[in-house]
Amino acid sequence: IFLDEVDAYPASADEEGDPVSLAEARSLTFAHRRKVFLVSTPTIRGLSRIEREYEASDQRRFFVACPHCGASQWLKFERLRWEKGKPETAAYACEACDAAIAEHHKTAMLEHGEWRATATSVDPSTIGFHLSALYSPVGWLSWERIARAWEAAHSSDEAIRAFRNTILGETWVETGEAPDWRRLYDRRGNWPAGTVPRGGLFLTAGADVQKDRIEVDVWAWGRGLESWLVDHVVIDGGPEHARSWDTLAALLARTWPHARGAEMQIARCAVDTGYEAPAVYAWARRQGFAQVAPVKGVEGFNRASPVSGPTYVDATEGGRRIRRGARLWTVAVSTFKAETYRHLRLDRPTAEELAAGASFPPGTVHLPDWVESEWLKQFVAEQLVTVKTKRGFARLEWQKLRERNEALDARVYARAAAWIAGADRWPEAKWRDLEAQLGAGDDAAAPPSDGVLADGTTAEPSAGLIRRRTSCGRRVFRSSYLG
Ligand SMILES: [Zn+2]
């Protein structure tokens, strides 16, 4: 039996169970003569079937000898070295003598190489082989092209994941381990509470509805979905109090001053329906679905479309039921939690690099110095763990490390709001338009986005989403795709 790309198989074939076990069962008749091959590009650590099988095997690696010192070794990506920005200088550093092994040695190395077990099989009749693209024969995928692919992938998580899976033949570790809140505390930026730093181009909010309060975080988003926490508001009183909803409505009507002088309104606010859905539907209906998106979180990863909907659900208005009177979006919260944690781990340019014109990598999450340690603890309150289901399948699941996690939930909803607003799919022209409305993009010498706000303008209600101060008073700009 030859089973190809087993990591792409579903955990269960309908209700029949694990498709690999089902296939293997068909070969039992042939007892000692049977052979079962499982082959695959690995996917996610903890979910990967091929990794599980390989780890239970004798874990063979292909050993080759260094042409300089003769030391036998298997090839690891970490030892492929090149000058940054010059993949053509790629060479392999021998792990024994550290001498550079050039590509042209590969043919002879492969010819004299051999498979060696690096572990003992759980079942002696099982053997496993691992091979990465570093072993590609000359003329196929060269070390130079691998180095080039890595440099090209470097700014995008999805590209790095594809690189690890397909070039290195390694699983991708979902960065589900919670970042340390103290590290986040130490690198907080400085902009006043309730103000939007220069890089922020639109605002979204995520509202987490609890029994006795509604917690709202306002996030600014820039190019590459770089983000800044702009405000943290706790509305006392639960969803059964009309006053709580009036306060939330007032929050959506007010504006936040941008570092360049404009006034910005929240483009989209996603409200969690998990605690008291009818109250959210009724309020969202009054408020209008252009600005408000009721959301329902579901477990699981969905990279193709982390948000789906809207679906139409019933709402009540003055005690009367209105069929399909409200809209509801479904959010794959795991995807956005994992993305947030990945983005929190991104390397930041040093002050020196920033001064030389470097920018923060896409997705960088900026947190302000007015945010308290309790908020930070909530922000990193969960971690991704692998759990076994009742039927023995591995599944990734987010588990709470602390009781309170509102900051993380609110962030996920605010991120979903950005997705619903369309930010994941905007063409370059739309980003340019947003910059133009804020008067950005025309000053190349703009300080880095973590910079201090120049002036603190007063906030007042605005009909438009972006209000810009001009020499002859105020003009209101409404963006066609945010309104
Ligand atoms: Zn050597």
Side-chain angles (χ1 to χ4, degrees):
I1 301 177
F2 191 102
L3 301 164
D4 200 6
E5 292 299 349
V6 294
D7 270 19
Y9 292 10
S12 177
D14 298 325
E15 288 304 303
E16 303 270 318
D18 176 21
V20 173
S21 308
L22 288 174
E24 283 186 73
R26 303 287 161 89
S27 68
L28 286 173
T29 323
F30 304 98
H32 301 294
R33 288 166 50 216
R34 69 188 184 123
K35 269 197 178 65
V36 182
F37 292 95
L38 302 184
V39 180
S40 194
T41 296
T43 52
I44 299 173
R45 167 91 35 100
L47 297 185
S48 170
R49 201 189 291 269
I50 198 72
E51 184 175 62
R52 197 163 66 235
E53 297 286 348
Y54 180 73
E55 281 173 356
S57 78
D58 61 354
Q59 304 182 25
R60 293 181 195 198
R61 301 273 187 179
F62 197 68
F63 282 72
V64 291
C66 167
H68 307 295
C69 72
S72 194
Q73 56 203 291
W74 61 272
L75 303 180
K76 302 166 190 74
F77 180 60
E78 297 71 47
R79 303 210 60 86
L80 189 65
R81 307 261 168 86
W82 68 93
E83 239 178 281
K84 201 177 174 191
K86 291 184 180 168
E88 64 274 13
T89 61
Y92 194 89
C94 168
E95 67 182 36
C97 71
D98 211 41
I101 304 172
E103 178 92 23
H104 66 83
H105 289 295
K106 208 164 39 171
T107 306
M109 288 163 73
L110 293 178
E111 216 169 270
H112 299 106
E114 62 171 10
W115 287 103
R116 282 190 210 158
T118 63
T120 310
S121 298
V122 174
D123 166 1
S125 68
T126 303
I127 57 175
F129 303 87
H130 181 279
L131 203 61
S132 76
L134 290 170
Y135 291 93
S136 285
V138 173
W140 291 19
L141 192 58
S142 63
W143 287 340
E144 174 187 338
R145 277 180 57 202
I146 291 172
R148 205 175 290 282
W150 176 250
E151 289 209 333
H154 215 69
S155 60
S156 148
D157 292 322
E158 283 311 293
I160 292 171
R161 189 168 79 100
F163 181 89
R164 296 205 77 85
N165 287 168
T166 62
I167 307 278
L168 303 183
E170 289 172 6
T171 48
W172 165 258
V173 181
E174 268 304 349
T175 44
E177 196 182 319
D180 180 11
W181 70 268
R182 286 178 199 82
R183 233 187 107 230
L184 303 181
Y185 188 96
D186 289 343
R187 59 171 201 217
R188 294 174 304 167
N190 57 332
W191 63 91
T195 66
V196 187
R198 299 182 86 88
L201 297 176
F202 69 101
L203 301 181
T204 69
D208 188 33
V209 181
Q210 302 275 331
K211 187 173 182 291
D212 59 345
R213 67 194 185 283
I214 301 173
E215 298 216 0
V216 188
D217 281 333
V218 181
W219 287 87
W221 304 88
R223 279 175 177 273
L225 294 180
E226 194 172 340
S227 61
W228 296 260
L229 181 67
V230 164
D231 220 334
H232 170 62
V233 180
V234 179
I235 300 171
D236 282 324
E240 71 268 29
H241 299 292
R243 192 168 30 90
S244 313
W245 295 109
D246 292 345
T247 311
L248 189 56
L251 207 64
L252 296 190
R254 65 158 282 196
T255 62
W256 281 262
H258 189 275
R260 294 173 186 279
E263 292 289 327
M264 298 177 88
Q265 213 175 358
I266 292 169
R268 279 287 194 298
C269 173
V271 188
D272 167 37
T273 59
Y275 181 72
E276 183 55 68
V280 177
Y281 296 153
W283 175 76
R285 194 178 148 78
R286 285 200 303 279
Q287 199 67 26
F289 295 100
Q291 199 185 9
V292 176
V295 294
K296 179 180 75 173
V298 291
E299 293 304 318
F301 291 85
N302 188 345
R303 282 189 178 73
S305 184
V307 180
S308 54
T311 53
Y312 292 84
V313 292
D314 295 350
T316 47
E317 201 174 69
R320 205 161 48 85
R321 198 175 82 140
I322 299 163
R323 255 181 71 75
R324 298 164 62 82
R327 296 179 203 177
L328 175 66
W329 281 262
T330 303
V331 179
V333 292
S334 294
T335 306
F336 286 143
K337 282 178 189 171
E339 180 194 80
T340 299
Y341 280 11
R342 277 202 300 277
H343 287 169
L344 282 172
R345 289 174 191 286
L346 289 172
D347 284 336
R348 288 157 176 254
T350 61
E352 195 182 316
E353 286 166 337
L354 284 173
S359 47
F360 288 92
T364 301
V365 181
H366 301 268
L367 301 169
D369 53 12
W370 45 265
V371 81
E372 292 167 355
S373 52
E374 170 58 26
W375 188 95
L376 289 170
K377 287 175 187 169
Q378 289 180 17
F379 197 47
V380 295
E382 298 187 24
Q383 72 178 4
L384 197 60
V385 292
T386 309
V387 291
K388 282 260 192 287
T389 63
K390 268 179 269 172
R391 302 173 68 176
F393 304 124
R395 194 161 57 86
L396 286 173
E397 190 179 281
W398 287 89
Q399 287 183 351
K400 278 188 188 181
L401 299 169
R402 295 187 183 82
E403 197 35 50
R404 295 191 56 184
N405 64 344
E406 293 90 324
L408 181 59
D409 281 345
R411 159 73 184 199
V412 166
Y413 302 142
R415 172 66 181 89
W419 196 97
I420 292 166
D424 293 68
R425 301 167 300 280
W426 285 341
E428 168 63 21
K430 292 199 176 183
W431 291 106
R432 266 206 307 272
D433 187 26
L434 282 177
E435 283 170 342
Q437 291 183 53
L438 289 164
D442 43 43
D443 55 343
S449 307
D450 252 350
V452 190
L453 195 73
D455 65 318
T457 46
T458 51
E460 50 185 86
S462 155
L465 287 162
I466 295 172
R467 205 173 238 221
R468 185 177 175 190
R469 194 160 282 167
T470 63
S471 54
C472 53
R474 290 189 143 202
R475 280 164 62 202
V476 176
F477 288 78
R478 180 179 273 277
S479 155
S480 57
Y481 37 86
L482 288 180

